[in-house]
Amino acid sequence: MILLLALPAVMLAGCDKRSEPQGQEKTAASNSAASGDAKADITLESASGMTAVLSYAHHGSAAPSGSFTGADGRDVTLSDFAGRPLLVNIWATWCAPCKAEMPTIDALAEIEAGNMSVIAVSQDLEGRAPVRAFFEQSGIKNLEPYTDTDNMLLSHYQGISLPTTILYDSGGKEVWRVQGGLEWNDEEVAALLREAD
Protein backbone atom coordinates (compact mmCIF):
# COMPACT_ATOMS: atom_id res chain seq x y z
CA MET A 1 0.00 0.00 0.00
CA ILE A 2 2.85 2.41 0.82
CA LEU A 3 4.40 1.67 -2.60
CA LEU A 4 1.12 2.57 -4.32
CA LEU A 5 0.94 5.83 -2.39
CA ALA A 6 4.57 6.66 -3.19
CA LEU A 7 4.23 5.99 -6.95
CA PRO A 8 2.42 9.27 -7.79
CA ALA A 9 5.01 11.25 -5.83
CA VAL A 10 7.84 9.57 -7.75
CA MET A 11 6.10 10.16 -11.07
CA LEU A 12 5.45 13.82 -10.28
CA ALA A 13 9.08 14.39 -9.26
CA GLY A 14 10.05 14.80 -12.92
CA CYS A 15 7.05 16.97 -13.67
CA ASP A 16 7.74 19.94 -11.42
CA LYS A 17 9.11 22.40 -13.99
CA ARG A 18 6.81 24.32 -16.26
CA SER A 19 9.22 26.19 -18.53
CA GLU A 20 9.65 25.47 -22.21
CA PRO A 21 12.91 23.72 -23.20
CA GLN A 22 15.04 25.65 -25.70
CA GLY A 23 18.13 23.51 -26.30
CA GLN A 24 20.75 21.76 -24.23
CA GLU A 25 23.92 23.11 -22.70
CA LYS A 26 26.82 21.59 -24.59
CA THR A 27 29.30 20.16 -22.12
CA ALA A 28 32.44 18.06 -22.39
CA ALA A 29 30.62 15.26 -20.58
CA SER A 30 27.69 15.24 -22.99
CA ASN A 31 30.01 15.49 -26.00
CA SER A 32 31.99 12.46 -24.81
CA ALA A 33 28.70 10.62 -24.23
CA ALA A 34 27.74 11.32 -27.81
CA SER A 35 30.93 9.58 -28.93
CA GLY A 36 30.06 6.58 -26.74
CA ASP A 37 33.03 6.97 -24.36
CA ALA A 38 31.24 7.93 -21.15
CA LYS A 39 29.02 5.46 -19.31
CA ALA A 40 28.32 7.47 -16.15
CA ASP A 41 25.08 9.44 -15.78
CA ILE A 42 25.29 12.82 -17.50
CA THR A 43 23.17 15.86 -16.71
CA LEU A 44 21.82 17.73 -19.73
CA GLU A 45 20.41 21.23 -19.26
CA SER A 46 18.25 23.22 -21.61
CA ALA A 47 18.74 26.93 -22.10
CA SER A 48 15.51 27.48 -20.15
CA GLY A 49 16.87 25.61 -17.13
CA MET A 50 15.04 22.30 -17.55
CA THR A 51 17.34 19.41 -16.74
CA ALA A 52 17.45 15.78 -17.76
CA VAL A 53 19.75 12.88 -16.92
CA LEU A 54 21.25 10.63 -19.59
CA SER A 55 21.94 7.14 -18.22
CA TYR A 56 23.60 4.02 -19.62
CA ALA A 57 22.84 2.01 -16.47
CA HIS A 58 20.42 -0.32 -18.31
CA HIS A 59 22.46 -0.62 -21.52
CA GLY A 60 21.82 -3.99 -23.17
CA SER A 61 18.51 -4.67 -21.35
CA ALA A 62 15.73 -6.13 -23.49
CA ALA A 63 12.64 -4.06 -24.27
CA PRO A 64 9.56 -5.03 -22.21
CA SER A 65 7.14 -7.43 -23.85
CA GLY A 66 3.82 -6.12 -22.49
CA SER A 67 1.27 -4.45 -24.73
CA PHE A 68 -0.17 -0.95 -24.93
CA THR A 69 -2.82 0.54 -27.24
CA GLY A 70 -2.56 2.13 -30.67
CA ALA A 71 -4.73 4.98 -31.95
CA ASP A 72 -7.06 2.47 -33.58
CA GLY A 73 -7.47 0.45 -30.37
CA ARG A 74 -5.20 -2.40 -31.42
CA ASP A 75 -2.70 -3.97 -29.01
CA VAL A 76 0.90 -2.97 -29.74
CA THR A 77 4.22 -4.13 -28.28
CA LEU A 78 7.69 -2.64 -28.62
CA SER A 79 8.72 -5.74 -30.58
CA ASP A 80 6.33 -4.57 -33.33
CA PHE A 81 8.97 -1.92 -34.09
CA ALA A 82 11.89 -4.38 -34.35
CA GLY A 83 14.31 -4.13 -37.26
CA ARG A 84 15.44 -0.53 -36.77
CA PRO A 85 16.26 1.72 -33.82
CA LEU A 86 13.33 2.81 -31.63
CA LEU A 87 12.97 5.88 -29.42
CA VAL A 88 10.19 5.45 -26.84
CA ASN A 89 8.94 8.48 -24.90
CA ILE A 90 6.95 7.71 -21.73
CA TRP A 91 4.79 10.74 -20.89
CA ALA A 92 1.40 12.01 -19.72
CA THR A 93 -0.78 15.02 -20.51
CA TRP A 94 -0.74 16.11 -16.85
CA CYS A 95 3.09 16.36 -16.86
CA ALA A 96 4.32 19.88 -17.74
CA PRO A 97 7.85 18.89 -18.94
CA CYS A 98 6.28 16.09 -21.00
CA LYS A 99 4.01 18.55 -22.79
CA ALA A 100 6.83 21.08 -23.21
CA GLU A 101 9.10 18.60 -25.02
CA MET A 102 6.39 16.91 -27.12
CA PRO A 103 6.59 19.32 -30.12
CA THR A 104 10.33 18.56 -30.40
CA ILE A 105 9.68 14.81 -30.23
CA ASP A 106 7.11 15.29 -32.98
CA ALA A 107 9.70 17.18 -35.04
CA LEU A 108 12.24 14.41 -34.38
CA ALA A 109 9.77 11.79 -35.63
CA GLU A 110 9.63 13.67 -38.94
CA ILE A 111 13.42 14.14 -39.11
CA GLU A 112 14.14 10.47 -38.35
CA ALA A 113 11.39 8.96 -40.54
CA GLY A 114 12.98 6.04 -42.38
CA ASN A 115 15.94 5.85 -39.96
CA MET A 116 14.24 4.99 -36.69
CA SER A 117 10.81 4.72 -35.15
CA VAL A 118 9.88 7.48 -32.70
CA ILE A 119 6.85 6.82 -30.49
CA ALA A 120 5.27 8.52 -27.49
CA VAL A 121 3.26 6.33 -25.11
CA SER A 122 0.93 8.21 -22.75
CA GLN A 123 0.42 6.96 -19.21
CA ASP A 124 -2.90 8.83 -18.93
CA LEU A 125 -5.44 6.63 -17.16
CA GLU A 126 -8.27 8.28 -19.14
CA GLY A 127 -7.02 6.75 -22.41
CA ARG A 128 -6.83 8.39 -25.83
CA ALA A 129 -9.25 11.32 -25.34
CA PRO A 130 -6.87 13.66 -23.47
CA VAL A 131 -3.95 12.59 -25.66
CA ARG A 132 -5.80 13.30 -28.89
CA ALA A 133 -6.99 16.64 -27.52
CA PHE A 134 -3.44 17.63 -26.56
CA PHE A 135 -2.02 16.47 -29.93
CA GLU A 136 -4.65 18.50 -31.80
CA GLN A 137 -4.17 21.60 -29.64
CA SER A 138 -0.36 21.41 -29.97
CA GLY A 139 -0.25 20.60 -33.68
CA ILE A 140 1.36 17.17 -33.14
CA LYS A 141 1.12 15.47 -36.53
CA ASN A 142 3.94 12.90 -36.78
CA LEU A 143 3.18 10.87 -33.66
CA GLU A 144 0.44 8.32 -33.12
CA PRO A 145 -1.46 8.73 -29.80
CA TYR A 146 -0.32 5.50 -28.15
CA THR A 147 -1.75 4.94 -24.67
CA ASP A 148 -0.86 2.68 -21.76
CA THR A 149 -3.80 3.00 -19.36
CA ASP A 150 -2.58 -0.04 -17.39
CA ASN A 151 0.84 1.64 -16.93
CA MET A 152 2.60 -1.49 -18.20
CA LEU A 153 5.63 0.49 -19.36
CA LEU A 154 5.77 2.59 -16.21
CA SER A 155 5.71 -0.61 -14.14
CA HIS A 156 8.50 -2.16 -16.22
CA TYR A 157 10.76 0.88 -15.84
CA GLN A 158 10.41 0.95 -12.05
CA GLY A 159 11.48 4.16 -10.37
CA ILE A 160 11.37 6.44 -13.42
CA SER A 161 9.84 9.89 -13.44
CA LEU A 162 8.00 11.42 -16.37
CA PRO A 163 9.07 12.18 -18.98
CA THR A 164 11.49 9.33 -19.65
CA THR A 165 12.75 8.49 -23.12
CA ILE A 166 14.51 5.22 -23.95
CA LEU A 167 16.58 4.46 -27.05
CA TYR A 168 16.63 0.84 -28.30
CA ASP A 169 18.83 -0.56 -31.04
CA SER A 170 17.37 -2.51 -33.96
CA GLY A 171 17.65 -5.74 -31.93
CA GLY A 172 15.45 -4.38 -29.12
CA LYS A 173 18.29 -3.77 -26.63
CA GLU A 174 18.43 -0.56 -24.60
CA VAL A 175 21.18 1.88 -25.55
CA TRP A 176 20.40 4.66 -23.04
CA ARG A 177 17.58 6.47 -21.32
CA VAL A 178 16.91 10.12 -20.53
CA GLN A 179 14.78 11.23 -17.58
CA GLY A 180 13.54 14.79 -17.90
CA GLY A 181 12.57 17.12 -20.72
CA LEU A 182 14.86 17.97 -23.65
CA GLU A 183 14.90 19.59 -27.05
CA TRP A 184 14.83 16.36 -29.07
CA ASN A 185 15.47 17.87 -32.50
CA ASP A 186 18.90 19.47 -31.93
CA GLU A 187 22.42 18.43 -33.00
CA GLU A 188 23.48 17.09 -29.60
CA VAL A 189 20.54 14.69 -29.53
CA ALA A 190 21.21 13.69 -33.16
CA ALA A 191 24.68 12.51 -32.11
CA LEU A 192 23.25 10.55 -29.18
CA LEU A 193 20.68 8.87 -31.45
CA ARG A 194 23.45 7.57 -33.72
CA GLU A 195 24.58 5.35 -30.82
CA ALA A 196 21.76 2.95 -31.79
CA ASP A 197 23.14 2.48 -35.34
Side-chain angles (χ1 to χ4, degrees):
M1 181 70 166
I2 293 173
L3 179 60
L4 290 175
L5 294 174
L7 183 60
V10 170
M11 290 173 23
L12 287 172
C15 295
D16 60 352
K17 297 189 187 225
R18 300 194 178 267
S19 55
E20 294 282 328
Q22 296 180 0
Q24 285 67 250
E25 286 284 322
K26 300 217 185 256
T27 64
S30 59
N31 289 337
S32 64
S35 68
D37 296 335
K39 296 299 177 195
D41 287 357
I42 299 161
T43 299
L44 302 172
E45 184 173 341
S46 69
S48 65
M50 288 183 68
T51 59
V53 176
L54 171 70
S55 174
Y56 292 88
H58 302 278
H59 181 81
S61 298
S65 59
S67 65
F68 48 96
T69 307
D72 59 0
R74 75 190 188 288
D75 284 344
V76 181
T77 65
L78 295 182
S79 64
D80 292 336
F81 300 93
R84 63 180 178 170
L86 169 65
L87 189 73
V88 181
N89 178 262
I90 312 299
W91 75 291
T93 60
W94 45 260
C95 168
C98 299
K99 294 192 308 186
E101 74 173 357
M102 193 56 61
T104 69
I105 292 172
D106 186 56
L108 181 66
E110 183 176 27
I111 292 166
E112 292 294 333
N115 298 321
M116 74 169 42
S117 298
V118 177
I119 66 170
V121 184
S122 167
Q123 302 301 292
D124 285 85
L125 299 178
E126 296 84 11
R128 289 188 300 271
V131 177
R132 283 186 173 155
F134 172 73
F135 277 15
E136 184 176 320
Q137 176 187 25
S138 302
I140 304 299
K141 59 183 184 279
N142 300 298
L143 296 170
E144 184 172 337
Y146 292 105
T147 56
D148 180 19
T149 56
D150 295 328
N151 294 148
M152 184 284 304
L153 291 175
L154 198 60
S155 297
H156 174 81
Y157 303 116
Q158 295 176 357
I160 67 168
S161 59
L162 299 182
T164 292
T165 305
I166 303 102
L167 178 65
Y168 291 100
D169 65 20
S170 58
K173 301 294 184 187
E174 183 170 329
V175 177
W176 48 250
R177 67 180 62 177
V178 170
Q179 288 194 69
L182 287 180
E183 285 271 327
W184 286 98
N185 57 342
D186 78 1
E187 291 179 17
E188 182 178 11
V189 171
L192 290 170
L193 293 173
R194 299 292 68 87
E195 292 181 27
D197 294 342

